[in-house]
Amino acid sequence: MPDRVKVEVDGRALELSNLDKVLYPEVGFTKGEVIDYYTRIAPVLLPHLADRALTRIRFPNGVTGGSFFEKNAPAATPDWVRTETLPVPGSSRGRETIDYVVADDLPTLVWLANLAALELHTPQWRIGAHPDLMVVDLDPGPPATLRQCCRVALLLRDRLTRDGVAAYPKTSGKKGMQLCCPISATQDAEVVSGYARRIAQELEQAHPDLIVSKMAKNLRPGKVFIDWSQNNAAKTTVAPYSLRAQSMPAVSTPLTWDEVEAGAAGKRPSAKPYTAGEVLRRVEKSGDLLAPLLDAGPALPER
């Protein structure tokens, strides 16, 4: 295959390069296959990226060859790629603003995949608005595993239901899980983060042998850390359907609650990391299990 291939994607001219380059060496998964995955998953992925400032993690030499975070639009960004200049409070580099890429369409997604932007991370807010998502990250401290994460996810689901908040589970694509909740976009990030923290602390008090809500790593072995801080306005979470930099092309995968219940019971490895091919088959069969996140949810109780 030639080093460079010119293609047209929805009317946009792109030049793709090094399609045979292996980005996941353990399984031989190439850049061309990454681009193919993102192209095929785009109908369900793009609505979750729309109007969100996108942070990318790029792996130009594959998942074993080093990586870098990228928030700013790179110098050679095509003029048809949407960018948004946004303030960055507390930037570690002293920047007052960043020119973010917004992946609203398939050409932008293919362009990013060609840059080996394997991982796509988004905030819980859309541009110019308050958060429309609340996300809690479930991080198992060894020897805890996804099975314990599933148990905690069920406890969280039931507690949130009491407040009228619906939760939708997905794997992180690594060792943990996230619960995503549609909310009203009428409360600022401090309110959302404060609510998530209160729920995490409440469950920690009720299940001290299983759950920890504090960030100190020495408290985590054998427990599941409920990371409520994902709702800080400056934080991002891996997007649904994003690839992850693992030995295999794992994906942050939406789950059903039946799968979570089975995972908690240890009946089958249903809450495991899924690969790109498996996720495409799941979507073909079941559609987007996280589609409810695209509709407005309730306001959160403030006390």
Side-chain angles (χ1 to χ4, degrees):
M1 183 176 292
D3 285 346
R4 295 184 176 274
V5 178
K6 292 184 178 181
V7 299
E8 186 175 292
V9 180
D10 289 353
R12 301 295 189 187
L14 286 162
E15 188 172 78
L16 307 181
S17 61
N18 302 316
L19 296 179
D20 288 335
K21 188 171 187 176
V22 174
L23 298 184
Y24 290 84
E26 187 167 313
V27 292
F29 200 78
T30 66
K31 189 205 272 195
E33 289 174 296
V34 167
I35 294 171
D36 177 69
Y37 167 73
Y38 273 125
T39 300
R40 294 168 64 192
I41 205 67
V44 292
L45 168 59
L46 285 171
H48 295 287
L49 301 181
D51 292 324
R52 297 189 194 273
L54 188 62
T55 296
R56 293 87 63 203
I57 309 181
R58 290 175 58 182
F59 297 81
N61 295 307
V63 297
T64 59
S67 65
F68 60 94
F69 277 82
E70 189 172 59
K71 291 180 180 286
N72 254 323
T77 299
D79 58 10
W80 45 261
V81 170
R82 179 183 171 190
T83 61
E84 294 283 347
T85 302
L86 301 174
V88 186
S91 169
S92 61
R93 298 189 179 187
R95 291 186 180 134
E96 293 184 0
T97 61
I98 283 181
D99 296 326
Y100 283 96
V101 169
V102 183
D104 281 339
D105 56 26
L106 179 58
T108 300
L109 194 59
V110 172
W111 170 71
L112 290 168
N114 187 58
L115 295 176
L118 299 183
E119 296 199 9
L120 308 175
H121 296 246
T122 54
Q124 318 318 337
W125 42 267
R126 295 184 188 269
I127 292 164
H130 286 314
D132 62 346
L133 292 176
M134 181 182 74
V135 173
V136 287
D137 190 73
L138 305 180
D139 184 14
T145 65
L146 267 175
R147 180 177 182 181
Q148 284 73 33
C149 285
C150 288
R151 290 175 57 196
V152 174
L154 294 170
L155 294 170
L156 268 167
R157 177 197 63 181
D158 294 346
R159 175 60 187 86
L160 292 168
T161 298
R162 285 164 43 196
D163 285 339
V165 178
Y168 299 87
K170 69 182 181 77
T171 69
S172 69
K174 292 187 174 180
K175 60 181 180 176
M177 292 176 61
Q178 284 114 20
L179 293 191
C180 306
C181 309
I183 56 176
S184 64
T186 60
Q187 298 162 300
D188 66 28
E190 287 190 12
V191 171
V192 178
S193 191
Y195 172 79
R197 183 178 188 174
R198 291 196 303 275
I199 296 299
Q201 290 172 336
E202 180 183 318
L203 289 176
E204 178 185 38
Q205 291 171 359
H207 305 275
D209 294 333
L210 178 62
I211 293 170
V212 61
S213 69
K214 299 179 182 66
M215 296 187 183
K217 291 195 174 182
N218 65 311
L219 300 176
R220 300 190 200 179
K223 299 182 182 182
V224 175
F225 171 46
I226 300 179
D227 187 356
W228 47 268
S229 74
Q230 291 296 114
N231 299 288
N232 182 302
K235 289 282 191 81
T236 62
T237 303
V238 66
Y241 305 108
S242 172
L243 289 166
R244 302 306 305 268
Q246 300 291 282
S247 59
M248 60 180 179
V251 172
S252 180
T253 308
L255 300 171
T256 67
W257 280 112
D258 284 348
E259 289 174 316
V260 176
E261 289 171 357
K267 292 180 180 178
R268 64 181 191 269
S270 54
K272 64 178 182 65
Y274 289 92
T275 64
E278 289 173 320
V279 169
L280 287 167
R281 290 191 290 274
R282 286 170 64 87
V283 169
E284 185 177 0
K285 178 182 178 182
S286 303
D288 180 14
L289 295 175
L290 295 185
L293 299 182
L294 304 175
D295 297 323
L300 298 173
E302 296 200 21
R303 269 297 169 190

